[in-house]
Each structure stands twice: as C-alpha cells, then as structure tokens.
Amino acid sequence: MVEDLLRFIVERGLALGANFCEARYFEERSNSITVENGIAKAMSSGILRGIGVRVIVNGHWGFASTNLLTKKDAEKTLRDALSGAKSIAAYAGEEAKILHIEPSNDRVFHRVKISPEEVDPEYKIRRILEIEKPAMEFSDRIKDTLINYRDVVTRVFLHNSIGTLVEEITPRTIISCRVIAKEGELMQSGHEVLGNVVGYELIEEIRPEDFSIKAARKAVSLLEAKAPPRGRFSVVADPEVGGLFVHEAIGHNSEGDLVYSGQSIIADKIGQKIASELVTVIDDPTMRGYGSFTYDHEGVKARQHVIVKNGILVRFLHSLESAAKLGGVPEGSARAQSHNYPPLVRMSNIYLAPGDMTLEEILEEIDYGLYLSGSEYGYVETEKGQFTCKVEEAWLIEKGELTEHLRDVAISGSILEILKNIKAVGRDLRLKMPGMCGKSGQSVYVDGGAPHFRIDGVIVGGRK
Amino acid sequence: MVGIDLYTPVEKAMRVLRTLDVDFYDVAATYSRSISISIFGRGIREAISKVDIGLGVRAFKNKGLGVAYTQSLDESDIEETVRRAVKYARAAQPDPYFKGIPGPSRAQRVPELCDKEIVDLTIEETIKIPRNMIDACECVRRGGMYRGGFSANYTKYSLMTSTGVDIEEEKTAVSASIQPVYREGDDVGSSHEFDYGVRLSDIDPYWIGRRAAEKAIEQFGSKRIKSCMLPLILSPEASSTLFMSLLLALSGERAVKGRTFASNLIGKRITQENLEVNDDGTIPGAIASSTYDGEGVPRRPVKVIKDGIVLTFLHNSYSAGIINVESTGHAIRDGYRGHVDAGPSNVKVNPGDSTLEEILHETKRGILVVNASFSPNIVSGELSTTIDEGFLIERGEKVFPIKNLMVGGHILDLYKNIDMISKEGRIFGGGHFFPSIRIKEARLSGE
C-alpha cells in the first residue's frame, strides 16, 4: 500500500532527526498515438512511478527519489535525503525553512465523461484519421500532416510531517496537429493544439475546421506571407500570444522562489504600480484548463491568485518555503514534474483579465502596427527582465485594418517598461495555451490566455 | 548499486516476446544514479540524489510500431509491458518507410566513458565543487545572488534485439554551472557559465565561478541601439547553437522526409568560407561518445561539411532505410522510454586561421554575441532571436553591453555570410569543438 509506505517514511524521517519530512508518490500512466499522412504508424504507452522524499535537517534541504518501491529502498532513499542535508550543513548558503500551515486531508478524483483507457485503440485511430483527413486534402500545397495524441492520468499521493495526507488523480488529454505546406523550395508550417483536464470527449468534440483545417490553412497562407518591418511598434496580441506574454513577462517574475533568490526584476515592487491600470493578471489552478489542480505538490489547497490588480503588483506565487521567506500565504503553487524532482514555485492557468473593448475598437485606434497571432515559444531572463516571444503569424495594421500577412515575427522588450505600455484590453478572454512550462530542468502542465490587447513600443524582429 | 543486473529483466522480456507473433522487437533497460547539489539565492540550498530504473519494449507487426515502458522490473510488470507493446503494434498501421531494425556488429570499445570515481560518489565528496564556484564568484565581487549547481550521473544501459544485438554500456557525466546576479540600484549585471564532461576532473569550479562573475559585471550599463545592419562575431557558446541547429536539421526522418530547411542541402555549398564540420561519437572520454548508437550500430566519425559543402545526413536505421543507405550510427534512444530518434554526437568545427583578436580588430563596428540561441524554425529555417548577452564593438574594443537587440533572417543567409573563423575556440564535454565566427552582415532590430 502506497499510503503505508508514505507513513513509514515520514515517521522514520522524524525519528532519524528530520525537522520536516515529506514523502510524495507519483504515478503517471500515458498512451499516445503518432499519425503521419494518414497512417497511425506508432502507438505507445508508459508507466512512470516512484517516490520522492524531502527533508529539512537543521536548516538544510535534502531530497532523494527512487522508483524501487520496497520498504528497504524507501528507507535507503530517506537516508540518502537525510545524509545529503547533513553533508551540506557545514556550508552557509540559502537556509531551508517552511511555513507550518494547517494540514490537509483529502482525496480528489477529477471525473471525465469518457475514460480514454476504455476506448478501443483502433477506434481512437479511426477518429484521429478522420480529423486529419480534411487537412491532408485542404490544398495540393500540403506536404505533410502530423498528429500527436496523448492521454495521461497523473496520481499524486503526498504525506508530510505537518500531518497532510492528500491524494489527487488527474486525467488529461491533449492533441496537436502540425501541417507543412510547400511551394517550390519554400516550406511553412501551421500548428494547432487542444488540451485540458478532460477525457476522450475532447477528441469526440473536435470540429476539423477549428483544428486540423485551421493548421492547414495557416501553413498554406504563410507561404505567401511577407517579412515584418523591424523596430518599435504598437502591437495587438491575440489570446494565444497574450497568454504567452503574460506567462513570460509577469508569471515567471512572480514566482516566489525566484523572488527570494534575487532572480526577479519585480522582487521589491509589491504594492507598486508595475503596469498600466488596465492590467489585472490572475493565475488560477481552480479554473478549467490544462494547468488545473486541487492540491499542489506540497499538499496545499489551490486558490485563485490575483498577481497584478489594476496595474498594482499585489502578490507573488508561493511554496511553503517562499511564503516563509517573503511573508506570504501559500495557496497552492508548488509543483514538481514527477517523484524525481523537488517541487518548485510554478504557474498554473495564467491569464490577463478581460477589459471592455471589442477587437474592432482596439484596432480602430491604431494607425500603423502589427496584429500578432499564435504562439510558438517564449522565454524570459527574469533577473534582467528581458523577454522574447516568437509568434506564428502576424498582419500589418494600417489605419485600423489588417492588411499584409506576415511571418517569422518575434517580439522582445524590457518587462517594466512594456507593462506600462498596455493601452487597450479586450473583452474576449480565452484560455488557449495548453502545454508544458520548463523551469530548472522540470516541465509541468500549464495553460494561459488573454483577451486581445494592445501594447505600444514593442521591439519587433524580422527579416526585412 | 553498480552491480545492478539489467540482463535478467531484459532477457525475461525477450523470452516473452519470442512466444508472441511479432516481426521485430527490441528491449532496452537503463539504471541511473545521480547526485546533485543546487545553488540558489545566497548559496548552496539543497542536496539531491536520484535512482531511476526502467525497461522499454518496441515491437513491430506488419510495419506498425508498438512501444511500452515501465519503471518496475517485477516479472509480472515486465510481462504486462511486453503485452501492451505487442497489442499496440498490432493496432498500429503499416509504416511504408519501415525496413527493419539493425543486426549485430562488432565495434572497438570506445574507452574512458565511465569515471569509476563517480559511480559511488557521495554528496559529501562533491560539496567542494559548488562551494568553490561560489567562492570564485565572491573573489571577483561579493554579495551576488546565485542560481546553478553541480551534478554527477552514472548510467548503465542494456539493449537486446530480435536481430541479435546484445550490448551493455556504462557511462558517467558531470556538469556544473553558476549564474551570479549583481544589482546597483535598478541596474543588473548578470551572466552564466558552465562546463560538463565525463570525468570529475573535467570540471574546474574556480574557472567557472570566476568567469561567470567577470562576465556578469561587464553587463552593467547595457543600452539599446537602433535597428541596423552590422557584422556579428559569435563566441564559441553562440556559434555552437548555429552549428547544432544545422546538424539537427540534417538528422533522421525529418531531414530525409523533406521537413527541414536542410533537407535539400546535400551536395550544396552553404558558405563561402572553408568550413569543415565533423561528427565523431568515438572520441575517448567525450560526453556524446559511445561504442554503439541507440540501436546497437557502431559509432563512427562522419564528415558532415567539407569546403562549405554539405555531404551527408545523420541517420538512424529508419531514416537510412528511406533512402536505401546504411545507418551512420546516429540513433538516439530516449533511455528506456522506447522512442528512437537521430541526432549529432560530438560535433567538431575545424578552426580557421584568424585569432579572435584579429577578427575583432578587423571589425570596425559590430556586435560581439556572447550568448544567444541561433535556433531557427526547423521547417522554414527562418530565425528571429534576441541577443541575450552581447556588446557593441568598435575597432576591436567593447563599447558597451547591448540589450533588447534581435537578429532576424534565414539561417542559411547567416551561413552564407560567415567570412572569418577563429583559430582558437572552446572544447565542450571533452568532444565538441566550436570556434568563434564572424558573420559579415546581419539584420538587427532595436530602437
């Protein structure tokens, strides 16, 4: 029994001198299907599972993990964590401390309409091929269509010496479609992704015109797109680019561990105006999205986190440690990729709260600028406050109208300057960025979104 | 735990597979043990040790692939894993490009890939490495906040296939990095240095710490410049991303199936300069070396670019089969998770004939790029990337550090514009070698 093993580790840890002891079982069962040009050429399945043990001994952290699940291996893993913590004790560094909060005791199982495990693999293949087909037939310039499907059930079972005992089982389903279009030597690709804390019903409900055909249309139309102008411009971000921007520019900088370790550009800005008054940014694990959960990986119940309210920096995201060090309240932001990693402070579903404008009204006021659509990737150097977001496609805005189609566009800027330049926020909020966020070698499930919004003075990079 | 037995579980899976109706199969198992010490905030924060073990099965039926893996080596779990792989192989559809998996070959063992010192290393024995990195930073400037760490890893790997491959390899790897952040009011000086290798002795913590701190201080007072066209001088760290991007785009099925910007480059000249790039997975003591690749094909040196002309793709057996050539020994297996891809091993770019000082001196006005990722969209080859760390230079001198400056263009235009390659460069992981290069003109977006 997993619970017995967790209880054994925590009790033993305290007996062997730990001031704090946490044992976390992690299990992930996944199935995936790879489809290429009308052929479901590979199917795979995997089971990850193991235990991670974290201790504090005299102000120092020790962590150890294993996927050997006998009592003997559990004890050895605990001893590795303890001896690790003792080994670094002679060196003054970053002190380990946590906030002692009320323990949680709960079991949560997120229900889905159709469990992917119960759908016949051959039926899944037929359905995915059905979704792919219209993309293949969209144009004679389509070179390749590729679909990746994955369903995964994550089980986290945590016990610690505060007295918390929490189990949470979360199913997720995600599907992505990449289409490559070709004309002579020129190739372009279009990408769409759908994912959520949801079962196989996600796949049943897909309408190809909103998914695979959309990716195909994007790939083909990008063949004709031009290079963007270079320099500083007013831009309008769509919900995907907006989600990526909020994640990179505000989200990472508000992670409590980066704040106390001196890596955040907004570390000393609580209570100060860091953005225009139109900006309210919320990270919400309790809303429906790919990054949803009920308890974080320290067993803390998740709540909505308002990070920026009307331009004022209100709070940071916290783990038990960052809350202790910064005087904050932990409300469920500590997560780990698996049993093999200690938890870090992470975002969940982050978004820019809606304003009251329509997209037309936002565009109307722009004489010359760029409309940015679809996110490829982004990153941020939090300590310097410099961010980069690569977008899939863009259009020139001339006198309020979308004119020339552009490709290969990226934006960059200094966070503290750019947040003050958010000049209009739309009412059409959508959460549309299911995926994985990487930090310190760990990936966790996240989502993000925004309504359409306008930023002035953004540096746009391109080939022109 | 060095004596961990991977042979028995792998053989157990093979025994079950022999009784089932499949055309090809392979079983891979890995055991790894790692220790690491993290640096965060004011210094050393956490000691970490991990054990990871698992077994993966690939089964092929009528050219359809089924993959399954498990982290439990109990007999019943192994049997269930085999059955899941076979069930999925039967459900998958025929892949017309699949021609089979490689058979056994004998290869000369590549030496010095396992540092015995690392196998049973403890946190206590390695604590000095991160401590010395921090001390070296503090010697340059006190009061930094830090992020980084040290880790050492031992891996044992076993592979058996239905075609008779039966290999076992042991490897070690170490890495260390530190990023100091210094503040003066609102101004930030920050940089990053790292090193990695096979042996513990490959890491010099003082060098890493000192260099990181010196680079960080140089970043104070960064400024923007206007959009313009200027020459770029890429440090070995930055040039490595440009070269690795090209080699990745020349690797495996994506390249062969015409899905990368490099798919049609074979036989074509991509640069004026006498560029030569070799890939060699047989270098003793090098990070990306191994006796066999991820499918059991012996590693061998491959000349990828000579006289600026691209000569070959880097293949695993699947991509080689598509164009009816032999695998070049570049299969990369994702541990026990069963996924097999292809990619470069140790990449060596031949040095040129100018010193870095000469290159800088001959550049009236340009940008010295210390840190940036020149990784384009792999399909189109188009690139727009931020220079994360760099300097405006005039007549060989650094004028000031730059910020918010982006490079845009097609990666092949950057290659076309390489006009100088340095004599000196940096060896990474005991195998890779990248020089500094000059790109005579690039489009920059700034103010």
Side-chain angles (χ1 to χ4, degrees):
Chain A
M1 269 282 285
V2 172
E3 186 177 330
D4 295 340
L5 204 57
L6 300 181
R7 285 186 185 280
F8 164 76
I9 293 167
V10 171
E11 260 172 49
R12 194 90 187 101
L14 293 177
L16 291 171
N19 309 107
F20 169 76
C21 184
E22 170 192 272
R24 178 167 40 88
Y25 173 80
F26 177 93
E27 180 186 292
E28 202 156 78
R29 292 172 177 266
S30 62
N31 296 287
S32 59
I33 301 173
T34 308
V35 171
E36 175 181 318
N37 297 329
I39 297 167
K41 63 174 194 169
M43 293 190 71
S44 57
S45 103
I47 302 173
L48 290 178
R49 58 144 189 52
I51 286 181
V53 178
R54 203 163 62 132
V55 296
I56 297 179
V57 183
N58 299 329
H60 295 276
W61 282 113
F63 174 85
S65 69
T66 181
N67 45 27
L68 301 168
L69 295 181
T70 64
K71 210 167 169 179
K72 194 176 134 205
D73 287 301
E75 167 130 10
K76 179 168 186 317
T77 305
L78 169 67
R79 285 183 182 273
D80 281 347
L82 290 164
S83 73
K86 286 172 190 163
S87 297
I88 62 173
Y91 298 88
E94 185 67 40
E95 189 196 356
K97 60 175 177 181
I98 57 158
L99 201 68
H100 284 258
I101 57 165
E102 284 298 308
S104 311
N105 213 305
D106 203 357
R107 282 172 204 250
V108 181
F109 176 52
H110 298 271
R111 298 201 180 280
V112 295
K113 280 189 205 150
I114 308 171
S115 163
E117 277 288 339
E118 277 152 34
V119 182
D120 176 45
E122 286 171 23
Y123 177 82
K124 282 183 187 167
I125 287 176
R126 276 202 304 277
R127 175 67 188 137
I128 295 169
L129 293 178
E130 219 173 83
I131 293 167
E132 186 202 29
K133 200 172 175 211
M136 293 170 68
E137 293 169 348
F138 179 78
S139 152
D140 53 9
R141 290 190 282 179
I142 300 291
K143 179 180 159 2
D144 293 299
T145 53
L146 307 149
I147 290 194
N148 280 301
Y149 159 90
R150 183 170 189 251
D151 60 64
V152 55
V153 177
T154 310
R155 179 178 174 215
V156 178
F157 203 156
L158 177 122
H159 179 45
N160 66 23
S161 54
I162 297 173
T164 288
L165 184 75
V166 168
E167 182 184 12
E168 181 165 355
I169 298 175
T170 314
R172 287 184 174 86
T173 301
I174 190 162
I175 185 167
S176 67
C177 176
R178 183 166 291 281
V179 178
I180 300 176
K182 191 171 184 196
E183 172 92 64
E185 293 283 284
L186 179 67
M187 280 196 295
Q188 290 293 318
S189 71
H191 184 249
E192 283 295 321
V193 60
L194 293 168
N196 218 318
V197 173
V198 69
Y200 186 74
E201 61 270 22
L202 177 84
I203 309 303
E204 292 290 23
E205 289 160 10
I206 287 177
R207 299 188 324 151
E209 56 271 35
D210 300 330
F211 182 64
S212 43
I213 296 177
K214 209 169 154 189
R217 183 175 296 120
K218 205 182 294 183
V220 171
S221 67
L222 280 172
L223 290 170
E224 317 279 343
K226 303 283 188 298
R230 291 179 289 148
R232 271 181 184 259
F233 299 98
S234 294
V235 302
V236 175
D238 81 347
E240 245 183 86
V241 177
L244 181 67
F245 170 80
V246 169
H247 176 103
E248 302 298 347
I250 299 180
H252 279 301
N253 268 292
S254 69
E255 290 165 346
D257 49 0
L258 298 186
V259 174
Y260 78 69
S261 66
Q263 316 282 328
S264 167
I265 195 85
I266 57 173
D268 56 352
K269 306 254 180 306
I270 283 278
Q272 294 181 29
K273 189 163 187 290
I274 61 160
S276 92
E277 62 281 359
L278 298 173
V279 177
T280 293
V281 175
I282 298 168
D283 174 80
D284 191 356
T286 68
M287 74 190 288
R288 198 177 134 84
Y290 200 57
S292 304
F293 52 88
T294 303
Y295 288 91
D296 76 357
H297 296 170
E298 292 182 324
V300 176
K301 184 138 194 188
R303 289 182 213 288
Q304 187 193 69
H305 316 115
V306 179
I307 299 168
V308 175
K309 190 166 187 189
N310 303 330
I312 310 281
L313 179 64
V314 180
R315 63 162 294 158
F316 298 123
L317 301 175
H318 285 302
S319 60
L320 294 177
E321 181 175 25
S322 71
K325 290 181 173 171
L326 298 168
V329 181
E331 289 178 336
S333 294
R335 280 192 296 159
Q337 177 178 315
S338 71
H339 59 278
N340 254 328
Y341 301 88
L344 305 172
V345 181
R346 306 306 299 257
M347 284 169 258
S348 58
N349 308 305
I350 193 165
Y351 63 93
L352 178 70
D356 54 11
M357 292 176 80
T358 63
L359 174 59
E360 291 67 33
E361 287 165 349
I362 296 173
L363 290 173
E364 227 166 59
E365 292 173 5
I366 297 175
D367 202 40
Y368 189 82
L370 275 86
Y371 175 79
L372 311 175
S373 173
S375 58
E376 261 186 35
Y377 63 83
Y379 65 93
V380 59
E381 294 170 285
T382 52
E383 72 288 354
K384 287 194 226 166
Q386 179 168 273
F387 72 91
T388 301
C389 296
K390 181 77 175 50
V391 310
E392 267 196 301
E393 55 182 341
W395 279 264
L396 214 55
I397 307 169
E398 290 175 292
K399 298 194 169 34
E401 301 285 329
L402 299 190
T403 56
E404 202 160 38
H405 193 195
L406 308 169
R407 67 171 190 245
D408 187 41
V409 182
I411 57 168
S412 173
S414 292
I415 291 158
L416 293 178
E417 176 188 290
I418 231 70
L419 289 175
K420 291 183 177 137
N421 288 350
I422 294 181
K423 293 290 163 63
V425 177
R427 60 167 82 128
D428 52 350
L429 167 67
R430 274 183 300 153
L431 210 60
K432 215 182 162 294
M433 219 184 58
M436 308 301 287
C437 166
K439 175 178 170 184
S440 302
Q442 298 193 41
S443 289
V444 296
Y445 302 106
V446 295
D447 214 330
H452 280 95
F453 65 97
R454 167 183 172 172
I455 324 174
D456 288 351
V458 175
I459 293 174
V460 174
R463 293 175 296 126
K464 205 163 178 174
Chain B
M1 201 88 179
V2 186
I4 185 128
D5 170 26
L6 294 177
Y7 182 84
T8 306
V10 171
E11 177 51 34
K12 159 78 191 166
M14 292 292 285
R15 263 205 315 278
V16 181
L17 280 157
R18 279 182 211 116
T19 66
L20 299 169
D21 178 27
V22 278
D23 305 327
F24 297 93
Y25 50 86
D26 60 29
V27 181
T30 61
Y31 163 83
S32 75
R33 174 186 175 269
S34 71
I35 56 164
S36 51
I37 299 163
S38 74
I39 297 171
F40 200 70
R42 288 172 186 81
I44 287 170
R45 172 170 180 266
E46 190 170 33
I48 298 174
S49 74
K50 299 178 186 179
V51 169
D52 189 34
I53 191 163
L55 176 141
V57 176
R58 292 199 308 165
F60 294 88
K61 178 69 190 169
N62 296 329
K63 299 187 167 195
L65 169 62
V67 179
Y69 64 86
T70 173
Q71 288 184 314
S72 160
L73 301 192
D74 295 345
E75 287 216 5
S76 60
D77 289 328
I78 290 174
E79 186 160 341
E80 199 220 314
T81 303
V82 168
R83 291 190 188 281
R84 272 189 291 135
V86 171
K87 178 181 148 192
Y88 274 4
R90 287 178 182 149
Q93 298 176 317
D95 178 351
Y97 297 109
F98 177 73
K99 305 259 173 75
I101 60 173
S105 319
R106 286 184 71 83
Q108 188 143 20
R109 193 150 203 91
V110 178
E112 296 168 46
L113 300 183
C114 182
D115 178 359
K116 294 289 175 197
E117 215 187 330
I118 290 174
V119 177
D120 287 315
L121 206 62
T122 63
I123 300 274
E124 203 155 7
E125 290 163 317
T126 56
I127 185 80
K128 280 211 171 114
I129 294 172
R131 188 63 252 172
N132 291 344
M133 279 198 294
I134 296 168
D135 285 349
C137 285
E138 295 270 319
C139 278
V140 176
R141 181 175 174 136
R142 293 202 164 273
M145 294 294 268
Y146 304 101
R147 195 171 177 183
F150 164 78
S151 79
N153 183 67
Y154 162 79
T155 305
K156 187 171 177 177
Y157 162 75
S158 172
L159 173 70
M160 279 192 216
T161 72
S162 57
T163 49
V165 171
D166 180 354
I167 56 174
E168 194 161 277
E169 291 200 56
E170 286 178 298
K171 284 199 71 170
T172 53
V174 291
S175 65
S177 68
I178 193 161
Q179 174 185 315
V181 180
Y182 304 109
R183 292 185 194 275
E184 286 176 0
D186 278 343
D187 200 4
V188 181
S190 161
S191 187
H192 173 250
E193 193 50 76
F194 64 95
D195 208 355
Y196 56 91
V198 165
R199 291 171 299 255
L200 206 53
S201 58
D202 290 340
I203 301 289
D204 178 351
Y206 290 108
W207 180 84
I208 297 171
R210 198 168 49 239
R211 214 172 111 97
E214 286 167 358
K215 279 163 64 183
I217 291 167
E218 282 191 313
Q219 287 300 307
F220 277 120
S222 63
K223 293 180 193 166
R224 295 203 177 95
I225 63 166
K226 288 205 160 68
S227 296
C228 55
M229 303 279 282
L230 280 179
L232 300 181
I233 296 148
L234 273 53
S235 69
E237 290 79 4
S239 81
S240 72
T241 66
L242 185 73
F243 293 116
M244 289 308 262
S245 297
L246 176 60
L247 265 67
L248 273 172
L250 286 167
S251 296
E253 77 171 282
R254 274 198 300 204
V256 173
K257 288 181 176 172
R259 290 177 193 153
T260 81
F261 68 86
S263 290
N264 61 357
L265 292 183
I266 304 298
K268 290 190 184 153
R269 177 183 287 278
I270 57 162
T271 173
Q272 324 295 324
E273 191 66 10
N274 252 348
L275 180 72
E276 180 167 329
V277 181
N278 292 285
D279 179 283
D280 188 356
T282 68
I283 303 168
I287 190 77
S289 290
S290 54
T291 303
Y292 298 96
D293 76 354
E295 292 181 305
V297 173
R299 292 280 196 184
R300 59 181 162 98
V302 173
K303 197 170 286 301
V304 187
I305 296 172
K306 185 165 169 38
D307 299 328
I309 298 169
V310 180
L311 303 180
T312 181
F313 293 121
L314 299 177
H315 288 294
N316 56 21
S317 71
Y318 177 82
S319 67
I322 297 171
I323 53 169
N324 296 312
V325 297
E326 274 189 17
S327 167
T328 57
H330 286 86
I332 293 175
R333 189 179 289 259
D334 181 14
Y336 52 77
R337 297 192 188 202
H339 181 67
V340 175
D341 202 344
S345 63
N346 303 296
V347 175
K348 296 172 80 165
V349 176
N350 274 20
D353 35 45
S354 319
T355 64
L356 176 58
E357 202 175 328
E358 284 163 0
I359 296 177
L360 291 168
H361 195 75
E362 282 189 30
T363 308
K364 257 194 200 160
R365 190 164 193 265
I367 303 292
L368 172 63
V369 182
V370 178
N371 182 19
S373 172
F374 289 87
S375 310
N377 178 313
I378 195 160
V379 175
S380 70
E382 287 159 352
L383 173 109
S384 43
T385 193
T386 303
I387 298 173
D388 297 321
E389 201 176 320
F391 297 89
L392 176 70
I393 54 158
E394 282 173 4
R395 286 171 296 278
E397 300 291 324
K398 288 176 184 168
V399 185
F400 54 76
I402 49 96
K403 67 176 174 186
N404 296 147
L405 190 64
M406 300 180 87
V407 184
H410 196 284
I411 188 168
L412 294 179
D413 289 333
L414 298 184
Y415 270 95
K416 254 181 227 155
N417 282 326
I418 295 175
D419 69 344
M420 291 177 101
I421 299 177
S422 73
K423 274 182 193 166
E424 68 279 56
R426 184 169 170 191
I427 298 169
F428 295 90
H432 301 285
F433 177 83
F434 298 103
S436 297
I437 57 168
R438 186 170 82 169
I439 292 166
K440 72 178 176 219
E441 195 175 58
R443 288 185 188 84
L444 300 170
S445 311
E447 284 290 335

